[in-house]
Amino acid sequence: MKIAHDSPVVHQKGSAEARPASHHPQDRKTPCTSLSGLPIADRYTQEDLKDWDPERDLGLPGDFPYTRGIHPTMYRSRLWTMRQFAGFGTAHDTNARFKYLLGQGQTGLSVAFDMPTLMGLDSDDPQALGEVGYCGVAVSSLEDMATLFDGIPLDRVSVSMTINGPAAVIFAMYLTLAERQGIPLNRLNGTLQNDILKEYIAQKEWLFPPAPHMRLITDTIGYCSEHVPKWHPISISGYHIREAGSTAVQELAFTLYDGLTYVEAAVQAGLPIDAFAPQLSFFFNSHNDFFEEIAKFRAARRLWAQEMKDRYHPNNPRSLQLRCHAQTAGCSLMAQQPMNNVVRTTLQALAAVLGGTQSLHTNSMDETLSLPTQEAVTLALRTQQIIAHESGVTNTVDPLAGSYFIEHLTNRMEEGAREYFRKLDAMGGMLAAIERGFPQREILEASQHYQEEIDRKERIIVGVNEYVESEQYAIPTLRIGKEVEQYQRERLRSFRAKRDPKKVTEALHEIQWFAQSGENLLPHLMHAVKAKATLGEMCGALKGVFGTYREPVVL
Amino acid sequence: MTTATTPIRVLIGKVGLDGHDRGVKLVARALRDSGVEVIYTGLHQTPEQVVNIAIQEDVNAIGLSIHSGAHTSLFPRVLELLKTHHAEDIAVFGGGIIPSDDVGPLMETGVRALFPPGTSMSRIVEFVKGLPR
């Protein structure tokens, strides 16, 4: 195999995690291992929880180590936030979808940006050709941001923005818009994804090398700590790691280790732990293996609380609590018999709820084919509402606590994650591990193993390798017209024509100056937004100082 | 001049801005493991870069993975560039998130095969091995 260009090939061998042999069921061929390859016994008893101390390892809901949830009463007091990730076409199109979703009982917004925006490029950049408005909404300027939230009071709706490479710039646009709406920044509530480590590991959308990206993240965390105290400046994400093919254990391990890396960077930058740790948030995948997923959420809370306590000794208990968003697994959706996806999503959503998530996105059945239609996204939202109001699972907190199986799996998840922690420590931390291609290779090995199990029919995927039907089901899909790109170009041209070019140039120079000085960049990015610099111009100015990045290709 | 005994050479790549490389890496590995010579481009390639590498490396086929919705622009652009370089003998195939309505029109422009999510690796290997050399 040959890697084109000059990308160094990473030759390091995968750390062949011993994959336990499956038990030998007498009557069925199904592997008795979890989706992550953990062996599953035919029954669990107190023998499996010998070293388990319920007082130490479980506690009460709302108490350390938060295994049972971060709030004492969880969904009895307040349901999770139902937050469907949405964005397509122009800012007008997405604004209309937002208003529709809020009208249907959705309780928070979540913005999906298009690929050029995610890469810090304006809609009229040559590299944006053919991609404008396809995977999400195009936002190149303050004007686009204003249209996106037109008629939506930013102090009354919590807004999540899935943006990473150019997160600080997009956030500067959002803050500037809030100021323009007359809303004090300390009343804003929402989340910026802003997690670059998982980009290098899995999602692969970065702008700069790791060090300047880490600095932009600590700048955002520092700015929020001082000025936007109700905002989550980062959403430390396992979702994309899992989508790239990892196991549940790898998702848990790499995500929490990333989290500790950000905390250490912020502490090194001089921030007191309790000034920012209560604002951190997490984002997990909820995949097919029902009990394993529930155990993962519970293990995540316990592991985070213990690590934060041992390493940083915070005074505020909120610094120990792992808050999270969850999304059902996009990679589990199948193009074959797409209506089956509704059932998959229901089970995954139920696992996230039983796992104690704070907010949830349920995928639409058509998302393996295109962005969702309004009908499909409504059904996905209704799925959450049915779980919340009809199933009865919200009546008591952490109903599975004390189950031999669940507690055993929770322990196994934590042990597996701690084993990875030790390996990553030995490599000198996550940035060094990424440069060596370690997490990338572990994920690739796991994804190949999973694919081979499916190809050999050791794992059955209904409608794909079993119960296959020759008839193709056609479901409606959303079409994005080519006119979106043309419209965006025109809009950007008139936006640029109406500004003072001298002010823009000065503001971009200011960004470059402070990028070099090391001072917090957020106020200067906001100044450039007010001078009407575009996303691409600001990211371009930063690239001039920070440089760009080429990944070590792992195959 | 190649003969039937020469191993088949395939460029596997990601064009456009999207970073979803799980599928493309699995395909690259499956082809490699079955004896195909694979040249992997890495992420974020332009159609021009892909076609230039394909010609330099003298490949039999180009396999592209696109998850961003840009397939209706990127596949035709690659085919057009191959034509400009008189390299239409290089077969183009692909996969990713491609709505079934787009498959027919893309095949008409000259794409040889499009594999939807859920395709087994053996089907892709079989297709590549069956390509004329």
Side-chain angles (χ1 to χ4, degrees):
Chain A
M1 167 115 36
K2 194 166 164 181
I3 309 290
H5 302 297
D6 50 356
S7 308
V9 189
V10 179
H11 283 299
Q12 182 215 336
K13 280 246 183 291
S15 79
E17 278 279 304
R19 223 164 248 286
S22 61
H23 289 215
H24 300 288
Q26 334 275 272
D27 46 357
R28 284 197 303 140
K29 236 180 94 189
T30 312
C32 286
T33 56
S34 73
L35 198 56
S36 288
L38 300 177
I40 304 295
D42 52 0
R43 78 198 70 170
Y44 287 87
T45 66
Q46 56 196 17
E47 286 299 298
D48 296 289
L49 294 177
K50 265 190 283 192
D51 303 321
W52 182 75
D53 174 357
E55 222 162 285
R56 181 194 64 202
D57 301 322
L58 198 55
L60 284 172
D63 284 351
F64 186 85
Y66 306 103
T67 315
R68 305 196 61 187
I70 57 171
H71 301 299
T73 51
M74 289 297 287
Y75 309 134
R76 278 180 75 102
S77 310
R78 186 172 172 270
L79 289 171
W80 63 92
T81 302
M82 299 182 192
R83 194 193 293 282
Q84 297 296 92
F85 186 44
F88 62 95
T90 66
H92 288 287
D93 300 329
T94 300
N95 177 262
R97 175 68 67 90
F98 283 168
K99 287 177 176 161
Y100 170 81
L101 286 168
L102 291 170
Q104 295 301 310
Q106 174 166 298
T107 47
L109 293 176
S110 174
V111 188
F113 294 99
D114 72 356
M115 209 48 86
T117 307
L118 293 174
M119 296 299 284
L121 302 169
D122 286 339
S123 295
D124 58 356
D125 190 286
Q127 276 185 275
L129 201 68
E131 314 226 22
V132 177
Y134 269 82
C135 276
V137 59
V139 174
S140 302
S141 68
L142 178 61
E143 190 185 19
D144 291 339
M145 190 64 97
T147 305
L148 185 61
F149 293 105
D150 184 47
I152 297 170
L154 297 185
D155 54 345
R156 295 224 294 273
V157 176
S158 79
V159 175
S160 171
M161 286 183 281
T162 297
I163 191 94
N164 296 280
V169 177
I170 288 287
F171 191 45
M173 285 186 186
Y174 187 84
L175 295 176
T176 308
L177 177 65
E179 282 183 354
R180 204 207 248 182
Q181 282 191 1
I183 296 163
L185 299 187
N186 62 13
R187 284 175 57 194
L188 293 177
N189 195 323
T191 309
L192 193 66
Q193 196 165 81
N194 203 20
D195 169 7
I196 206 68
L197 293 171
K198 67 95 172 52
E199 294 296 329
Y200 295 121
I201 296 171
Q203 188 167 242
K204 315 290 175 82
E205 287 149 20
W206 52 74
L207 304 188
F208 319 117
H213 262 310
M214 289 298 286
R215 177 263 178 106
L216 282 171
I217 290 166
T218 49
D219 278 3
T220 326
I221 292 174
Y223 189 85
C224 285
S225 156
E226 201 174 331
H227 303 284
V228 208
K230 291 200 307 195
W231 194 270
H232 303 297
I234 188 165
S235 171
I236 306 147
S237 306
Y239 184 82
H240 320 81
I241 291 173
R242 193 67 181 280
E243 290 290 300
S246 83
T247 64
V249 172
Q250 290 167 348
E251 177 193 357
L252 175 65
F254 297 152
T255 307
L256 264 60
Y257 202 90
D258 284 350
L260 293 169
T261 307
Y262 293 122
V263 170
E264 186 56 27
V267 167
Q268 291 298 326
L271 290 169
I273 190 77
D274 285 327
F276 71 94
Q279 285 172 274
L280 301 175
S281 65
F282 286 81
F283 174 21
F284 292 106
N285 200 299
S286 195
H287 210 298
N288 283 339
D289 192 318
F290 189 70
F291 293 112
E292 181 169 76
E293 293 304 292
I294 296 168
K296 180 185 75 187
F297 285 96
R298 300 171 88 249
R301 281 190 296 269
R302 185 163 78 201
L303 188 49
W304 185 251
Q306 286 168 344
E307 288 297 308
M308 288 295 280
K309 189 176 187 184
D310 293 349
R311 289 173 192 228
Y312 300 102
H313 320 291
N315 293 316
N316 184 348
R318 281 178 49 78
S319 295
L320 302 169
Q321 296 169 354
L322 179 144
R323 287 156 291 277
C324 72
H325 173 66
Q327 178 171 339
T328 57
C331 61
S332 74
L333 303 181
M334 291 296 144
Q336 297 78 3
Q337 304 177 25
M339 282 179 291
N340 294 346
N341 292 331
V342 177
V343 184
R344 293 189 179 103
T345 297
T346 305
L347 287 165
Q348 295 165 3
L350 183 58
V353 168
L354 290 172
T357 192
Q358 275 59 61
S359 66
L360 180 62
H361 165 106
T362 32
N363 290 323
S364 303
M365 65 171 171
D366 51 356
E367 287 188 73
T368 188
L369 303 165
S370 69
L371 294 188
T373 62
Q374 186 154 298
E375 291 70 31
V377 80
T378 306
L379 179 56
L381 176 61
R382 296 286 180 256
T383 305
Q384 294 197 38
Q385 291 164 336
I386 289 168
I387 291 172
H389 300 291
E390 298 185 16
S391 74
V393 297
T394 56
N395 289 342
T396 191
V397 180
D398 190 25
L400 297 176
S403 144
Y404 298 128
F405 181 42
I406 280 288
E407 299 301 349
H408 171 78
L409 261 185
T410 304
N411 293 346
R412 293 297 312 271
M413 285 280 138
E414 184 182 338
E415 283 158 23
R418 286 193 185 281
E419 214 173 296
Y420 270 115
F421 278 22
R422 285 190 285 275
K423 285 181 191 162
L424 291 161
D425 281 344
M427 284 177 207
M430 189 51 100
L431 286 170
I434 288 169
E435 274 306 310
R436 287 171 64 167
F438 173 73
Q440 300 95 310
R441 182 169 292 272
E442 289 290 295
I443 293 166
L444 180 58
E445 297 289 344
S447 114
Q448 187 176 14
H449 182 85
Y450 179 66
Q451 182 65 42
E452 286 168 356
E453 283 183 335
I454 293 169
D455 286 352
R456 289 195 299 258
K457 283 200 184 187
E458 289 165 11
R459 263 184 213 284
I460 299 303
I461 306 290
V462 174
V464 175
N465 61 359
E466 196 68 273
Y467 315 111
V468 177
E469 295 176 28
S470 52
E471 192 190 335
Q472 292 277 325
Y473 286 80
I475 58 167
T477 54
L478 185 79
R479 312 293 303 181
I480 308 292
K482 299 249 186 219
E483 66 280 1
V484 168
E485 192 160 305
Q486 194 49 39
Y487 174 85
Q488 267 300 105
R489 287 165 175 277
E490 285 303 320
R491 187 173 155 94
L492 208 44
R493 194 192 326 234
S494 82
F495 177 80
R496 287 205 181 97
K498 283 183 283 189
R499 62 189 188 174
D500 178 349
K502 192 162 161 273
K503 274 192 181 167
V504 177
T505 313
E506 280 169 7
L508 294 175
H509 281 149
E510 179 187 323
I511 290 179
Q512 292 195 311
W513 172 267
F514 287 101
Q516 276 159 336
S517 84
E519 197 177 305
N520 196 313
L521 269 170
L522 255 292
H524 308 291
L525 291 171
M526 286 171 74
H527 184 228
V529 169
K530 283 171 200 154
K532 298 193 174 177
T534 64
L535 168 77
E537 289 162 349
M538 287 187 269
C539 292
L542 289 173
K543 277 182 197 161
V545 177
F546 293 152
T548 55
Y549 179 75
R550 196 165 179 90
E551 71 164 342
V553 175
V554 177
L555 248 182
Chain B
M1 189 67 198
T2 52
T3 69
T5 50
T6 343
I8 195 155
R9 282 168 75 76
V10 175
L11 177 149
I12 295 292
K14 288 286 297 179
V15 276
L17 300 174
D18 92 88
H20 298 91
D21 59 2
R22 173 179 182 170
V24 80
K25 285 185 167 181
L26 290 182
V27 171
R29 280 190 159 198
L31 288 171
R32 174 193 67 187
D33 295 347
S34 71
V36 173
E37 280 186 15
V38 175
I39 293 113
Y40 176 59
T41 65
L43 293 168
H44 308 146
Q45 303 294 306
T46 62
E48 287 77 8
Q49 287 171 315
V50 163
V51 169
N52 287 340
I53 300 167
I55 291 168
Q56 273 168 28
E57 295 284 349
D58 192 23
V59 298
N60 304 95
I62 298 175
L64 299 175
S65 159
I66 303 174
H67 289 244
S68 66
H71 50 273
T72 51
S73 309
L74 294 170
F75 279 112
R77 180 75 187 133
V78 167
L79 289 161
E80 187 188 310
L81 287 163
L82 285 173
K83 208 169 198 174
T84 316
H85 289 89
H86 307 293
E88 298 104 311
D89 56 319
I90 299 178
V92 175
F93 66 100
I97 303 295
I98 297 171
S100 45
D101 289 355
D102 290 344
V103 172
L106 284 172
M107 300 288 273
E108 271 166 38
T109 63
V111 177
R112 297 287 293 278
L114 288 168
F115 298 103
T119 304
S120 72
M121 290 299 134
S122 57
R123 218 182 114 203
I124 300 173
V125 170
E126 200 179 307
F127 164 81
V128 168
K129 291 199 147 177
L131 283 170
R133 281 176 250 192

